[in-house]
């Protein structure tokens, strides 16, 4: 049953990806600027222009470019079907390789942030729902009035100023490791995992130390909607008939709270999934403040430079990850809530 | 709550040991924070136009010629003496006027990284590669063409046979090479100092060639560039950092700083903050306000030069009403120059008196053709043009959209706002139009249809007034390369045709002076300011030198004892 | 119609019985519960006193919204948020529950006092298996390992009559039918053998036969364990058949407290009298005459072998809703259609008015066929054939005024002018007992009973001769039911109307109808006068249906009967129907012949029709 569902979802996801890829391919060619102009800055002669056009492959008809990109025109070279995302027009490096370098940074940052946010937000949401008017509830109210409305960019810079410059407890916003530390060998691309695999505990701790502030910034921002969602759902669950009945049956307060929490978690899962997919690109501001070379800044660089294959590659990757996350969360949701049928 | 407390304790347990702090910087190491790191090391590749890529290239590669140095300026920054050339990979050289041939005697005993040894083969390879125009952006060919090296004509694009290197560049023996020009073009030596004709090590380049990529473009785009420069490439992570280690065999002596880490920190405020704590020793590309704020900071030096960075207003001759000289002059007189210097550059800029960088040889500031702020004169000119008080200009609303690069909002923002309000007061219906860099480039260079724009990124790469003229002001039909305002003046074209091949320096300078006077008269460009190129660095660092490509050479730097 | 004003505020109770009363289990005095609303505090119960003794089944009746559920919860010290208990005391086990600490109260709830609520599926945790939930409740009050708790859960499920408890214990709430969920709830409530069980409308929404099984079981359990029950219900049948004593909740407190027989025979409080109105009138002579008559008047509507199938999308199968049903309704006659869910009675009603298209068969009105003709030809019949639906709210457009609602049929079927229409509308309102000047108000504020009267007024607008009444009283409170039935009778006698009265409430059918047909799975299994069918049913299904219907007559309690006609098992699916008799498999009198041959309706000597060869052959005795 589960296997069939997962297979079906994966197949649908694949179709979605293909359709999206073709759509994006055409859409970005509608953008209002010529990517070639970037190459002819020093020498905008007609010949140089033609040369640049040829090197990017833009002198071929559009359908040929599409077929090459998809990997369906072996005479032109490899494409998606063979696992080749093309080369970036800004750096000339293979895009798959570049994304393979930047994506783990973002994933590391947001996964750890979500994890921590979850650990904080769920108990706080639970507390503020079960004890309205208590410390947690009032704290949440103040937070949402004041903090939740400011951009993470601002908070990130504030944290840098406060914790690095004034207090000196945080490291410089120079990325995941100090520039003077040598990186561990790349196995997964996640510095935390790689350093553990290589047995370098000092590098692992240093990476965590550097992640402290960016994670704190993201947690600050992410907690808001998660707390609100949990709180709202829990309040609704606490007013439901089955909680009332549980009270009548004399269940201890803690168990009732967990009954309500479980009911509240199911819809919250959806929100978390959506947030995660959003954060893949949305963490770019925090990445920028803390000099983390993540996927967001790569996407922005590619868009501003009209680097077509890189844009296509980024869209493809983010979509694929989002779809996987949604699938995972749907499965989790079904595990939590038995009313959901496959 | 118990859970929360436990998590907090666990977190502290992890964090506290890690607060030992970052690794201390070795005395012979340098941490340099820049807005980006090289995206490629191939000057014929897609990343060549990016300034930080050029920084990578010039520190790893070595040119044939360089400029001698002059005395340090008021900030202690060493500036080049553009009138005197120094041989770098070239030991001695001579020029035969009759045959237009240069004979270059190459330096012996030059060693690069990875066992590279320098001889004439490397020079031949470099020019062969340039002429093959196989990269995404053929800068090597372009510079050779601008310097009139024989055979480097646009024909190479159409005709594959024309791409083979002929006898214009000849290997005489292991350490002698001749290069022949097609005309007595004075740009020969200046061009050979530019990053776009730095010399490759032929053996290592060929070792990394493939059948599909015989000129190793892929290798230089992504892995490294074998040459004879003062530094070797230790590691390179694009968009993150690049690490250079000194080349102990460098022919001018091993560099004082053994290891340079160039790190990408995109937020300028972060660069400031890290410099202040002493963790980094050198930063560039801060906003004028930030440089200002660091001037009084202890342990930090802020220094700069009046180099070749400038700001000008671009009015397109093909778009009315900018084809009317009276309107052009009215705009020139309505500009708030002083306000721009104060608000935009915190006083770190000066009025630009010409249309060529004032530090370049051949520059003149035409005395009678300067335009100061004079609102009365502006009003009178407008009236004379038929738009009293600006009435009638509403028909040209689209033309008066002041376009600028959106990514530079932080620095250009105050400037364009000042311009907008002053010009509006004078009656011009100016609106602001920020657009992305690439789109700006497209419209300026390729389509040439920007009516009204402000530009702070034109730095002529050839250090010569004539080069700047050829680049910007000669009409395309007469060989103009980047005439973004569609300026067509047959007089200028004619004068330039003469000056281009004028062998006598004094005569050439006279011709160039006349050209520049005409340009100011016509307001081909509306020059606003030349602003200082600045850096901030630890006060222990000395030897800062300015180069016309605005890239720092780490070889110049050392730590005071 | 509103209930009569309370004259005095005193509790009216009857003198105690001669036997010394058993010790009280729970005594509540002066209970006051209020809810804050945007419009101010609403007091739900105010000064409520009651006592429940050991081995007693006490019934609590009252209108919808009178505070019965609030009372039920308040007796445990629980209030649905945001309400609060403001005053009073509850003596239980020597303690005042309202002065106890929360932890003490928690122990008492579920262990000493158990509660069953009205919405079983909603009260179960949708995410846990029921075995786990029952186990949790058990472990909350007893020391037990998870394994022991699970075993106890299985035992409880078996005890409440769920077959295959080992498998069912792993089910989730949404996988259970209403009846099973209710039983699971009882299992939870009884798992620690409480001394007092509060059952709040425990059988609402359940089918009649299931309800009977269920209440029997509950009653037996209580007898065996010497506990007490507070049984809250609006259904006087349930009260009459199971309760020893009756409490009446009205005007926020208990207004009458009497033994069941006394209550039904001689209700003392005016409100009690009003809700027992039907029962009392039912004993009258007029009613008796009605029940015995098989008024042979001119035939108005004839149904001839009506059949209706609903195809199931995506398959070749059909749901057989109505199977070859034939009967006739005369002028001024009321024919009742009774049966459980799935019997087809509602479908027949809808087919009569061509709201559904019959698959085959013919319907004739005054001899003219009205089935099989095009819809637009029906127009002229529409004014003569009308329908009143079950849910008065759904049938009316809430944004229209009453006048507009009544004008609609007048516009469609008459040629009256504006002024005449208004007059007619006023006349209609008067006929149904509503205020004739209410033409310009919207029906939003009216109670269900009044809205149903409005529906009837609308049906009367075009001078119909025949009205289909599809469960018109099922959502009404008992007091409103009384009024509506009286109105229908009056209209029938005044206007010579004929009714097809579709209902599952046998009590009202008994009062209103002349003849009645019993439906099972789309087939008519018995058709006769009310006296014949209700007094001595012949068909085994009719017998079981009547046996399980709880008539509000405490002198003939179901629990006092020794032999009960019950059917085993559940109603089969209407998609795959058996070859022979549909009741085969559940019928206590079934034989091999019943399984093979389809059964036909046979005419009995006394004129009724029965679809059972054994009954026709006299092999099944009559039951009273």
């Amino acid at each position: 049953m589960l296997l069939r569902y997962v297979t079906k979802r994966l197949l649908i996801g694949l179709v979605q990806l293909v359709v999206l890829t073709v759509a994006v391919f055409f859409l970005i060619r509608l953008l209002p600027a010529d990517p070639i102009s970037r190459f002819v800055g020093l020498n905008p002669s007609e010949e140089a222009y033609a040369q640049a056009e040829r090197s990017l492959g833009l002198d071929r008809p559009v359908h040929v470019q599409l077929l090459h990109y998809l990997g369906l025109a072996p005479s032109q070279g490899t494409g998606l079907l063979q696992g080749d995302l093309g080369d970036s027009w800004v750096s000339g490096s293979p895009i798959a390789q570049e994304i393979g370098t930047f994506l783990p940074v973002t994933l590391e940052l947001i996964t750890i942030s979500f994890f921590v946010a979850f650990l904080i937000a769920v108990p706080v949401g639970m507390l503020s729902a079960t004890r309205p008017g208590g410390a947690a509830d009032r704290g949440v109210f103040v937070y949402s009035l004041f903090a939740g409305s400011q951009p993470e960019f601002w908070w990130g810079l504030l944290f840098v100023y406060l914790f690095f410059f004034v207090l000196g407890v945080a490291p410089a916003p120079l990325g995941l490791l100090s520039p003077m530390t040598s990186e561990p060998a790349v196995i997964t691309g996640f510095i935390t995992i790689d350093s553990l695999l290589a047995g370098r505990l000092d590098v692992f701790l240093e990476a965590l130390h550097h992640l402290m502030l960016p994670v704190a910034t993201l947690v600050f921002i992410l907690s808001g909607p998660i707390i609100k969602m949990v709180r709202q759902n829990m309040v609704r669950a606490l007013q439901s008939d089955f909680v009332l009945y549980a009270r009548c049956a004399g269940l201890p307060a803690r168990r009732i709270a967990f009954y309500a929490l479980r009911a509240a978690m199911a819809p919250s899962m959806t929100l978390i999934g959506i947030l995660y997919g959003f954060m893949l690109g949305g963490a770019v501001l925090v990445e920028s403040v803390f000099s983390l070379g993540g996927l967001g800044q790569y996407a922005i660089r590619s868009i501003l430079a009209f680097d077509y294959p890189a844009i296509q590659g980024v869209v493809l990757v983010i979509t694929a990850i989002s779809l996987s996350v949604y699938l995972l969360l749907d499965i989790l949701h079904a595990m939590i809530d038995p009313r959901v049928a496959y | 709550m118990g859970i929360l407390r436990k998590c907090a304790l666990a977190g502290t347990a992890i964090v506290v040991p890690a607060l030992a702090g970052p690794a201390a910087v070795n005395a012979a190491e340098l941490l340099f924070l820049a807005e980006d790191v090289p995206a490629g090391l191939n000057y014929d590749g897609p990343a060549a136009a990016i300034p930080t890529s050029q920084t990578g290239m010039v520190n790893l590669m070595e040119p044939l010629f360089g400029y001698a140095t002059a005395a340090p300026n008021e900030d202690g920054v060493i500036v080049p003496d553009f009138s005197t050339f120094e041989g770098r990979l070239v030991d001695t050289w001579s020029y035969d006027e009759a045959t237009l041939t240069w004979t270059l005697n190459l330096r012996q005993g030059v060693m690069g990284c990875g066992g590279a040894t320098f001889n004439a083969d490397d020079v031949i390879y470099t020019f062969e590669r340039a002429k093959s125009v196989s990269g995404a952006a053929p800068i090597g060919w372009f510079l050779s063409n601008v310097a009139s090296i024989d055979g480097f004509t646009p024909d190479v694009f159409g005709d594959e046979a024309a791409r083979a290197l002929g006898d214009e560049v000849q290997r005489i023996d292991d350490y002698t090479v001749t290069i022949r020009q097609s005309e007595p073009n004075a740009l020969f030596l200046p061009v050979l100092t530019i990053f776009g004709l730095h010399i490759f090590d032929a053996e290592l380049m060929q070792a990394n060639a493939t059948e599909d990529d015989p000129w190793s473009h892929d290798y230089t785009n992504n892995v490294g560039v074998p040459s004879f420069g003062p530094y070797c490439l230790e590691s390179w992570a694009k968009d993150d950092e690049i690490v250079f280690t000194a080349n102990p065999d460098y022919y001018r002596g091993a560099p004082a700083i053994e290891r340079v880490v160039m790190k990408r920190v995109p937020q300028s405020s972060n660069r400031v903050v890290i410099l202040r704590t002493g963790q980094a020793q050198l930063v560039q590309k801060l906003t004028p306000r930030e440089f200002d704020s660091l001037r009084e900071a202890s342990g930090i030096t802020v220094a700069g030069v009046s180099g070749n960075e400038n700001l000008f207003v671009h009015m397109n001759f093909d778009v009315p009403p900018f084809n009317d000289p009276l309107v052009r002059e009215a705009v020139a007189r309505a500009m708030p120059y002083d306000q721009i210097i104060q608000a935009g550059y915190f006083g770190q800029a000066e009025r630009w008196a010409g249309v060529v960088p004032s530090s370049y040889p051949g520059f003149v500031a035409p005395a009678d053709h300067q335009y100061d702020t004079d609102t009365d004169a502006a009003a009178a000119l407008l009236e004379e043009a038929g738009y009293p008080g600006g009435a009638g200009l509403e028909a040209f609303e689209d033309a008066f959209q002041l376009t600028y690069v959106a990514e530079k909002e932080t620095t250009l923002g105050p400037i364009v706002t000042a311009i907008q309000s002053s010009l509006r007061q004078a009656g011009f219906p100016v609106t602001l139009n920020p657009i992305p860099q690439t789109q700006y480039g497209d419209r300026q260079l390729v389509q040439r249809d920007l009516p009204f724009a402000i530009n702070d990124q034109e730095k002529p790469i050839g250090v010569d007034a004539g080069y700047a003229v050829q680049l910007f002001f000669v009409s395309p039909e007469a060989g103009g390369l980047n005439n973004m305002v569609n300026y067509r003046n047959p007089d200028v074209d004619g004068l330039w045709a003469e000056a281009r091949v004028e062998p006598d320096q004094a005569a050439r300078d006279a011709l160039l002076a006349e050209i520049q006077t005409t340009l100011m008269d016509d307001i081909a460009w509306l020059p606003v300011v030349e602003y200082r190129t600045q850096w901030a660095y630890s006060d222990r660092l000395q030897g800062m030198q300015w180069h016309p490509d605005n890239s720092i050479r780490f070889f110049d730097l050392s730590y005071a004892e | 119609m509103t209930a009569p004003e309370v004259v005095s505020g005193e509790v009216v109770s009857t003198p105690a019985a001669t036997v010394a009363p058993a010790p009280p289990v729970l005594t509540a005095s002066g209970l006051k519960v209020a809810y804050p609303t945007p419009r101010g505090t609403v007091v739900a119960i105010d000064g409520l006193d009651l006592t429940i003794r050991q081995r007693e089944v006490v019934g609590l009746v009252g209108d919808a919204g009178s505070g019965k559920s609030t009372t039920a919860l308040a007796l445990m010290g629980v209030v649905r948020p945001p309400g609060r208990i403001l005053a009073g005391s509850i003596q239980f086990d020597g303690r005042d529950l309202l002065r106890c600490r929360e932890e003490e109260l928690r122990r008492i709830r579920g262990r000493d006092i158990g509660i069953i609520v009205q919405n079983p599926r909603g009260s179960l945790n949708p995410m846990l298996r029921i075995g786990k939930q029952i186990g949790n409740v058990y472990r909350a009050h007893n020391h037990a390992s998870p394994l022991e708790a699970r075993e106890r859960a299985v035992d409880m499920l078996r005890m409440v009559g769920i077959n295959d408890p080992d498998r069912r214990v792993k089910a989730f709430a949404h996988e259970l039918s209403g009846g099973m969920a209710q039983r699971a709830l009882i299992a939870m409530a009884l798992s620690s053998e409480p001394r007092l069980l509060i059952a709040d409308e425990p059988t609402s929404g359940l089918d009649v036969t299931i309800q009977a099984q269920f209440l029997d079981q509950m009653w037996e359990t209580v007898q065996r364990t010497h506990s007490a029950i507070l049984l809250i219900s609006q259904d006087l049948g349930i009260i009459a058949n199971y309760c020893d004593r009756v409490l009446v909740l009205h005007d926020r407190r208990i207004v009458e407290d009497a033994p069941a027989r006394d209550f039904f025979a001689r209700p003392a409080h005016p409100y009690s009298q009003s809700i027992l109105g039907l029962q009392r009138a039912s004993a009258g002579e007029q009613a008796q005459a009605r029940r015995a008559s098989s008024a042979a008047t001119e035939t108005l509507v004839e149904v001839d072998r009506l059949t209706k199938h609903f195809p199931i999308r995506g398959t070749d199968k059909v749901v057989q809703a109505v199977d070859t049903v034939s009967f006739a309704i005369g002028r001024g006659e009321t024919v009742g259609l009774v049966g459980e869910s799935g019997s087809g009675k509602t479908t027949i009603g809808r087919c009569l008015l061509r709201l559904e298209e019959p698959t085959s068969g013919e319907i004739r009105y005054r001899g003219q066929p009205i089935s099989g003709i095009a819809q637009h030809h029906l127009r002229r019949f529409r004014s003569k054939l009308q329908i009143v639906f079950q849910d008065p709210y759904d049938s009316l457009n809430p944004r229209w005024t009453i006048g507009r609602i009544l004008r609609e049929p007048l516009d469609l079927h008459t040629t009256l002018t504006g002024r005449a229409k208004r007059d007619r509308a006023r006349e209609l309102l008067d006929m149904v007992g509503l205020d004739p000047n209410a033409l310009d108000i919207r029906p939003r504020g009216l109670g269900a009973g009044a809205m149903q009267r409005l529906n009837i007024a609308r049906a009367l607008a075009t001078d119909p001769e025949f009205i289909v009444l599809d469960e018109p009283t099922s959502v009404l409170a008992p007091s409103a039911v009384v009024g509506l039935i009286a109105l229908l009778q009056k209209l029938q006698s005044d206007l010579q109307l004929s009714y097809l009265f579709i209902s599952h409430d046998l009590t009202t059918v008994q009062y209103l109808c002349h003849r009645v047909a019993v439906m099972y799975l789309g087939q008519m299994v018995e058709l006769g006068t009310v006296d014949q069918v209700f007094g001595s049913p012949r068909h085994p299904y009719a017998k079981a249906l009547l046996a399980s219907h709880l008539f509000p007559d405490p002198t003939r309690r179901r629990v006092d009967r020794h032999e009960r006609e019950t059917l085993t098992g559940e109603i089969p699916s209407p998609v795959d129907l058996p070859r022979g008799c549909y009741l085969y498999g559940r019928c206590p009198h079934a034989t091999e012949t019943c399984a093979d041959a389809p059964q036909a309706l046979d005419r009995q000597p006394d004129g009724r029709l029965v679809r059972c060869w054994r009954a026709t052959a006299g092999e099944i005795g009559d039951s009273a």
Side-chain angles (χ1 to χ4, degrees), chain C residues 16-22:
Chain C
T18 46
V19 179

Side-chain angles (χ1 to χ4, degrees), chain C residues 134-149:
Chain C
I134 300 174
N136 282 346
V137 173
Y138 184 66
R139 288 178 71 201
H141 299 289
N142 308 282
H143 289 296
S145 71
L147 198 59
E148 288 167 4

